[in-house]
Each structure stands twice: as C-alpha cells, then as structure tokens.
C-alpha cells in the first residue's frame, strides 16, 4: 500500500519583489522570468511530496491574466493536486500585489507535471489526499486536465515526426 500525503503538506510559497531588470519596456514582468519562478516553485512542491529527485515532464499552460508591474510583489503558491504512480500534477497560482496600495490580483495560473526519478527511472510516489473544498475540486478535475495533456502530447509527437521528416 502506498504512503499518503495531504495536498497541504506540499504547499510551497515564494514571494519576490519585481525590480526593473525583471521587466520589459512596458514596465511589466518578463513572461520568461515568471515561467522560471513557476517551474522553480512547482519543483519544490513536487520534491516535498516525493522526497525524491523530480523532473519537469510538461507545462500545460501559463495563462497570463493580469500584468505584473515593476514595484509589485509577486507571490507564487504551488501544491501537488493529483498523483499517478510516479507523476504529479502541480497547480501554481500567481498573485501580484501593489505594495503601496495593497491591491492584489490573480496574475497567472499554471499546471505542470513532474515525475519522480531514482536511478534514471520513474519512482513510486505517495498518493496525494485533498482535504479542503478547493483541494477536492482541484483533485477531482485533474483527470480532465490529464486527458487534455495526453492529447496535446500526441499532437506534439506528430509535429516532431513531421519536422523530423521535413528536415
């Protein structure tokens, strides 16, 4: 029988001040900088759950919902929302806060998949257990996201084959 861990045990929070080098000529955070933060915080949540080395298997999407401006604080909250035998879905919610006014916005949402590895092969991980209403919803809706992920991966493999033949 597999070990079990709650989603809350995987929760990981990172906050950073958005400085001029983090922004583009519009004074908003570079998408690539935010994506690096997302991958970083998600990898920590995955490792906390697996307690093994983890690798990023996929990023479903990064939906930029609101701009994050220079001078804002950006906070990323990650947690494992679903587990397979060796893979984990991680949800990352990104909020921005105007530090001088206290106004906050959900600035981005992202779902990623990580795989635990041992000796270069996928490793068995604990099962994740939702507790709160929000966690139960995220866990329950994960299967639908997994189906979309599989279809997208098949399409990517078809594209890779097309480009392999084309060049």
């Amino acid at each position: 029988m597999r070990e079990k861990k709650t989603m809350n045990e995987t929760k990981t929070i990172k906050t950073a001040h958005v400085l001029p080098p983090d922004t583009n000529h519009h004074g908003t955070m570079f998408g690539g900088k935010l994506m690096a933060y997302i991958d970083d915080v998600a990898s920590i949540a995955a490792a906390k759950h697996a307690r093994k080395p983890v690798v990023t298997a996929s990023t479903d999407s990064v939906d930029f919902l609101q701009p994050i401006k220079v001078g804002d604080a950006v906070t990323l909250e990650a947690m494992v929302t679903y587990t397979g035998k060796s893979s984990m879905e991680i949800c990352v919610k990104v909020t921005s806060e105007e530090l001088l006014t206290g106004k906050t916005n959900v600035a981005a949402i992202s779902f990623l998949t990580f795989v635990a590895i041992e000796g270069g092969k996928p490793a068995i991980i604990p099962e994740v257990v939702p507790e709160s209403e929000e966690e139960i919803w995220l866990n329950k809706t994960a299967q639908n996201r997994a189906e979309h992920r599989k279809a997208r991966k098949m399409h990517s493999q078809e594209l890779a084959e097309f480009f392999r033949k084309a060049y």
Side-chain angles (χ1 to χ4, degrees):
M1 188 166 155
R2 279 174 43 198
E3 180 186 352
K4 294 182 182 200
K5 287 187 178 178
T6 65
M7 283 185 183
N8 195 51
E9 290 178 83
T10 70
K11 195 168 198 177
T12 304
I13 300 170
K14 173 184 183 117
T15 300
H17 199 174
V18 180
L19 301 172
D22 304 324
T23 63
N24 59 31
H25 62 286
H26 300 291
T28 59
M29 190 171 194
F30 283 122
K33 179 82 172 183
L34 182 60
M35 289 170 24
Y37 283 174
I38 288 168
D39 193 50
D40 181 48
V41 73
S43 71
I44 294 168
K48 285 169 76 170
H49 183 76
R51 296 297 178 197
K52 295 176 174 33
V54 297
V55 294
T56 309
S58 74
T59 301
D60 288 8
S61 65
V62 180
D63 296 318
F64 301 103
L65 305 171
Q66 295 288 325
I68 302 168
K69 299 177 195 134
V70 69
D72 287 355
V74 62
T75 300
L76 298 89
E77 294 180 51
M79 78 167 89
V80 174
T81 53
Y82 185 80
T83 53
K85 289 183 181 180
S86 62
S87 65
M88 297 157 268
E89 177 191 77
I90 293 89
C91 176
V92 180
K93 178 179 75 171
V94 179
T95 56
S96 63
E97 178 180 356
E98 293 178 19
L99 292 173
L100 300 181
T101 66
K103 182 181 177 193
T104 61
N105 283 305
V106 175
I109 305 279
S110 185
F111 285 91
L112 303 91
T113 302
F114 279 76
V115 175
I117 54 169
E118 278 184 318
K121 295 184 180 185
I124 302 295
I125 58 168
E127 181 182 340
V128 74
V129 178
E131 295 176 308
S132 72
E133 193 174 312
E134 175 187 90
E135 291 172 355
I136 291 166
W137 184 85
L138 285 166
N139 184 265
K140 196 187 282 188
T141 57
Q143 194 59 44
N144 187 37
R145 289 187 298 276
E147 289 169 17
H148 283 92
R149 213 172 280 130
K150 284 181 186 178
R152 192 187 71 243
K153 184 176 181 181
M154 285 179 54
H155 181 65
S156 292
Q157 289 170 332
E158 290 170 1
L159 284 170
E161 182 63 19
F162 168 78
F163 286 121
R164 186 188 67 75
K165 288 180 181 177
Y167 300 100

